[in-house]
Amino acid sequence: MSTPAAEPAPTALSADNPLAEVSALPHRLPPFTDLTLEHCREALLVGMAQQRAEVAAIAGSAEPATFDNTVVALERSGALLRRAQAVFYALSSSNSSDRLREIEREVAPLSAAHADALRLDPQLFARIDAVHDQVQAGGHGLDPEAVRLVERYHLDFVLSGARLDEAGRDQLKELNQQLSRLSTTFGQNLVVATEAAAVLVTDRAQLAGLSAAEVEAAGVAATERGREGYLLTLVLPSGQPALAKLHDRELRRRLHEASVTRASAGEHDNGPVAAEIAHVRAVRARLLGFDTHADLVAADQTARTSAAVDELLGTLVAPAVRNARAEGEVLAELAAADGVELAAWDWAYYSEQVRRDRYAVDTTALRPFFELDRVLVDGVFHAARLLYGYTFTPRPDLPGYHPDVRVWEVSDAAGAPVGLYLGDFFARDGKRGGAWMSSFVSQSRLLGTTPVVFNVMNVTRAAAGQPTLLTLDEVTTLFHEFGHTLHGLSSSVTYPRFSGTSVPRDFVEFPSQVNEMWALWPEVLDHYARHTDSGEPLAREVVAAIEAAALWGEGHGTLEYLAATLLDQAWHRIGPDTVVEDPQAFEAAALEAAGVASELVPPRYRTTYFQHVFSGGYAAGYYSYIWSEVLDADTVEWFKANGGLTRANGDAFRDKLLSRGGSVDPIGAFRDVVGHDPDPAPLLARRGLG
Ligand SMILES: [Zn+2]
């Protein structure tokens, strides 16, 4: 790998840099037409320097600290950097290039140092602490959003170690560096071990059950590694997709074993690495004043305490185990008919048989009903109009960051402008996989900004002149991502720190999950799901079959997810004095203690390949997927009980929850809408676990 030639950091923006000023386009849409990567690089570097100067002035002020001269001033700081980051990080995900990656490598360490310099500035923290004291003492005259902002800033700084003395700050930096090294090692070990664990097949007949294209891909994979035959490479969760198809039981066993023992022995054993990561995190949590790392994480989430996480997970374990066992009995019968005693590597294979025989849904036959633009305009936009009164007007005159990007202006029921929506739907080189929502501009009354929000997907483009047809999964994904968009568009807060989707991680997926409910809602579905040739609506029986099929396998799915979640919690509940010597024994004991140990259903991730928590951002936070789904399922019941798709329901959900972003207690906002504390019963019912 070549090192980019050192380029001098610019000290000022060049005269033609379009990021220098606030954009003059509607809703401050970035001026993409005139914008180059060099402009972005320059604005990022100069933007960081500008914000450091602004923050130094705030921290060094001779005036006594007040809410306005400290917290509000910080909210206003970094305007240039904010503009530059919004554009650059959008491009890095959806329109990357060699030059962009080069700039990313240059900027990443600078950006980390920039964040540290702000969060660990003792002079600045002293002022925030002083404002926090004033708020705690009462009589400050601040409105609730302002009070929450002070508390939020204070917690952000405390969690970053601002309350420590110099020795403590040094220790924290050292621990952070250790963690950064260890998680890099974990990730690298996993890549190498996963590659090494790929299963080589020399006899093509053993691959019976795979499609011709899959066999061919396995052949190419072998050739690429200089091997003879066919190579089945591993994907990340425990369950490998090929397990559902392979007829050869011995090959299924080999593939399963390779998957669940990944990175658990030899040179690339991640067991000791995971144990050390957990240990260092425990030490750091104690340094920051928490009992365990799980408590530190929960403090920043809507769950608030690890006891609340336990309570929820506790209600799910017994029904999930029961249903997985019942599913296992069905599968064991099928296996017995083949003269086989059901093992973990047979589960997906027989489960697929049940899905095929009992719930015949031909997914390819659905696609002609799901034409991209119809789904978007007559489905997603239509539901948003009926619920929230939003209308979407195409603005082909406004530029996106790529020719594929389309822009709509969003108005409310009274015709007043709300913001802009950008859609970037097709897969292309330089775009990372998956689907997401992000913002170019976040709504804020303080900054006078309205939202500019975008969705990115990876839909395969149809041949010229042909309609682009989506799969059912892609339809659901579009409704999901648009749920995040609605959160961003509906934002009505004063401070940018709280805008739109700036909510805790265990809450942010909730509004987007709720929006998925409209994809199969009869009134919406009839409006968009029309056969591209005949214009026929999708038959009711088909929809019923889709819904019934979705329930099969939920016992297994829930159990393997819970096992991974409880394993994540166990690793992050250890104290700073605990050193786990035998990671595999620790894992087995943790699963046993939580009541989720199963020969037939391994955790979705085992310790040695649990990338989310050992080298991603989900340490002690893997629970958040099901936490937000509890809120989602409960809210779906509330919509249904109140008449479904109505403006009254939409307005209540928007005014009390979506518009508030992070400016109020999220669970309080939920309670305002639904009328009670989160109740796991609707989720259990949805998953057939009630
Ligand atoms: Zn999402």
Side-chain angles (χ1 to χ4, degrees):
M1 197 161 68
S2 70
T3 322
E7 294 162 80
T11 50
L13 295 182
S14 42
D16 67 340
N17 193 322
L19 290 167
E21 301 294 331
V22 169
S23 164
L25 292 171
H27 303 280
R28 305 190 186 184
L29 176 71
F32 293 112
T33 331
D34 309 320
L35 201 53
T36 65
L37 285 175
E38 302 316 312
H39 291 138
C40 287
R41 172 182 177 270
E42 194 181 78
L44 287 167
L45 297 173
V46 175
M48 282 191 259
Q50 272 186 11
Q51 190 178 30
R52 267 198 304 279
E54 288 163 354
V55 172
I58 297 168
S61 164
E63 302 281 311
T66 65
F67 175 67
D68 280 324
N69 75 15
T70 306
V71 178
V72 173
L74 284 172
E75 283 285 274
R76 288 187 190 278
S77 74
L80 172 63
L81 183 59
R82 198 159 32 228
R83 288 198 291 276
Q85 282 175 335
V87 173
F88 185 73
Y89 292 111
L91 296 180
S92 86
S93 302
S94 31
N95 216 21
S96 195
S97 61
D98 286 345
R99 177 58 184 146
L100 191 146
R101 282 184 285 271
E102 204 170 87
I103 300 174
E104 242 175 342
R105 284 193 293 273
E106 178 189 4
V107 169
L110 300 173
S111 185
H114 179 73
D116 271 358
L118 303 191
R119 288 279 170 83
L120 290 175
D121 178 339
Q123 233 187 335
L124 183 61
F125 180 64
R127 292 181 71 85
I128 288 169
D129 208 25
V131 177
H132 187 246
D133 285 347
Q134 293 159 23
V135 165
Q136 301 247 295
H140 41 72
L142 297 176
D143 67 29
E145 189 180 338
V147 170
R148 193 171 167 83
L149 186 67
V150 173
E151 282 163 358
R152 185 66 256 184
Y153 263 79
H154 196 257
L155 183 62
D156 285 346
F157 275 74
V158 168
L159 291 179
S160 311
R163 215 155 41 183
L164 300 173
D165 59 15
E166 208 179 322
R169 284 200 299 275
D170 286 346
Q171 196 194 345
L172 181 67
K173 277 183 202 155
E174 172 56 32
L175 294 171
N176 283 339
Q177 276 167 19
Q178 276 183 42
L179 281 172
S180 150
R181 273 196 304 273
L182 286 164
S183 24
T184 307
T185 304
F186 187 97
Q188 288 171 348
N189 276 348
L190 184 55
V191 170
V192 178
T194 301
E195 263 188 46
V199 173
L200 185 71
V201 178
T202 45
D203 178 3
R204 188 190 170 115
Q206 283 193 309
L207 297 174
L210 297 187
S211 71
E214 287 162 336
V215 173
E216 194 189 334
V220 171
T223 311
E224 276 173 357
R225 305 243 200 109
R227 312 285 294 270
E228 296 265 326
Y230 306 88
L231 202 59
L232 298 175
T233 53
L234 300 182
V235 296
L236 200 50
S238 295
Q240 304 299 309
L243 288 175
K245 303 178 176 177
L246 289 168
H247 298 321
D248 187 307
R249 187 166 190 240
E250 174 55 17
L251 182 54
R252 290 204 301 267
R253 189 195 60 76
R254 284 175 63 204
L255 184 59
H256 174 81
E257 294 288 324
S259 178
V260 297
T261 58
R262 224 171 323 181
S264 66
E267 195 190 343
H268 300 290
D269 187 355
N270 262 340
V273 185
E276 192 166 356
I277 290 174
H279 173 68
V280 177
R281 283 176 179 157
V283 173
R284 184 178 62 177
R286 193 59 62 87
L287 178 68
L288 292 169
F290 293 87
D291 281 347
T292 68
H293 187 69
D295 292 298
L296 179 151
V297 169
D300 201 16
Q301 300 296 317
T302 63
R304 285 188 193 276
T305 64
S306 47
V309 175
D310 288 342
E311 198 187 317
L312 169 69
L313 298 177
T315 59
L316 300 172
V317 165
V321 168
R322 196 176 57 231
N323 274 37
R325 200 168 287 153
E327 287 167 12
E329 281 161 17
V330 173
L331 303 180
E333 263 179 51
L334 288 174
D338 285 351
V340 159
E341 190 188 340
L342 185 74
W345 46 90
D346 302 316
W347 191 290
Y349 182 73
Y350 289 107
S351 183
E352 193 53 32
Q353 274 190 18
V354 174
R355 201 184 304 279
R356 217 170 33 232
D357 297 347
R358 289 200 190 168
Y359 309 101
V361 179
D362 181 358
T363 47
T364 40
L366 293 175
R367 296 187 66 205
F369 291 91
F370 301 144
E371 194 266 311
L372 169 63
D373 272 35
R374 278 210 77 146
V375 176
L376 181 68
V377 175
D378 296 335
V380 171
F381 289 173
H382 179 66
R385 187 173 67 75
L386 295 179
L387 286 162
Y388 308 108
Y390 291 144
T391 54
F392 298 81
T393 311
R395 289 291 305 262
D397 56 312
L398 294 177
Y401 52 86
H402 184 277
D404 281 351
V405 178
R406 288 183 286 165
V407 184
W408 286 264
E409 178 140 35
V410 187
S411 312
D412 68 13
V418 170
L420 295 177
Y421 172 65
L422 284 71
D424 177 6
F425 302 114
F426 297 119
R428 63 170 169 267
D429 286 347
K431 195 191 261 195
R432 72 171 157 89
W436 60 95
M437 164 273 188
S438 190
S439 300
F440 286 115
V441 184
S442 296
Q443 179 277 337
S444 157
R445 279 189 288 273
L446 179 75
L447 304 180
T449 48
T450 45
V452 178
V453 181
F454 62 99
N455 279 153
V456 182
M457 288 183 58
N458 272 283
V459 175
T460 307
R461 192 195 304 271
Q466 297 294 311
T468 297
L469 304 177
L470 304 184
T471 63
L472 177 61
D473 276 351
E474 287 169 335
V475 171
T476 309
T477 301
L478 185 52
F479 275 88
H480 175 98
E481 296 310 331
F482 199 79
H484 290 303
T485 291
L486 288 165
H487 208 177
L489 284 176
S490 302
S491 180
S492 176
V493 301
T494 301
Y495 303 106
R497 179 69 179 74
F498 292 141
S499 191
T501 52
S502 305
V503 295
R505 186 180 48 211
D506 62 0
F507 193 78
V508 72
E509 290 304 322
F510 150 57
S512 52
Q513 287 170 346
V514 168
N515 205 54
E516 291 177 28
M517 75 180 284
W518 309 116
L520 292 184
W521 193 260
E523 204 176 340
V524 179
L525 187 74
D526 279 351
H527 202 247
Y528 77 83
R530 298 283 167 155
H531 196 282
T532 44
D533 298 331
S534 66
E536 288 290 307
L538 192 59
R540 280 273 177 275
E541 313 82 82
V542 177
V543 180
I546 293 170
E547 284 170 337
L551 272 182
W552 171 253
E554 285 286 0
H556 178 276
T558 308
L559 179 57
E560 66 160 11
Y561 168 81
L562 285 175
T565 303
L566 290 157
L567 187 57
D568 167 34
Q569 290 294 322
W571 275 114
H572 297 105
R573 300 286 176 95
I574 63 173
D577 304 323
T578 305
V579 177
V580 174
E581 303 284 356
D582 183 345
Q584 310 221 18
F586 177 88
E587 175 180 304
L591 296 174
E592 195 62 51
V596 290
S598 164
E599 284 277 295
L600 288 172
V601 186
R604 189 167 155 74
Y605 297 94
R606 296 190 59 200
T607 302
T608 55
Y609 51 93
F610 207 162
Q611 186 155 24
H612 276 78
V613 308
F614 292 112
S615 72
Y618 275 81
Y622 197 63
Y623 79 90
S624 47
Y625 293 99
I626 206 142
W627 183 273
S628 15
E629 205 185 327
V630 166
L631 305 178
D632 155 34
D634 211 354
T635 305
V636 166
E637 286 314 305
W638 171 83
F639 267 107
K640 287 181 179 167
N642 287 282
L645 189 77
T646 68
R647 271 302 299 283
N649 286 347
D651 284 350
F653 191 53
R654 179 183 51 197
D655 297 347
K656 294 176 183 174
L657 195 141
L658 293 177
S659 68
R660 304 301 184 94
S663 71
V664 295
D665 167 40
I667 296 296
F670 168 89
R671 218 181 283 118
D672 271 357
V673 174
V674 174
H676 56 248
D677 281 328
D679 174 4
L683 173 78
L684 291 169
R686 171 194 286 186
R687 293 193 170 206
L689 305 174

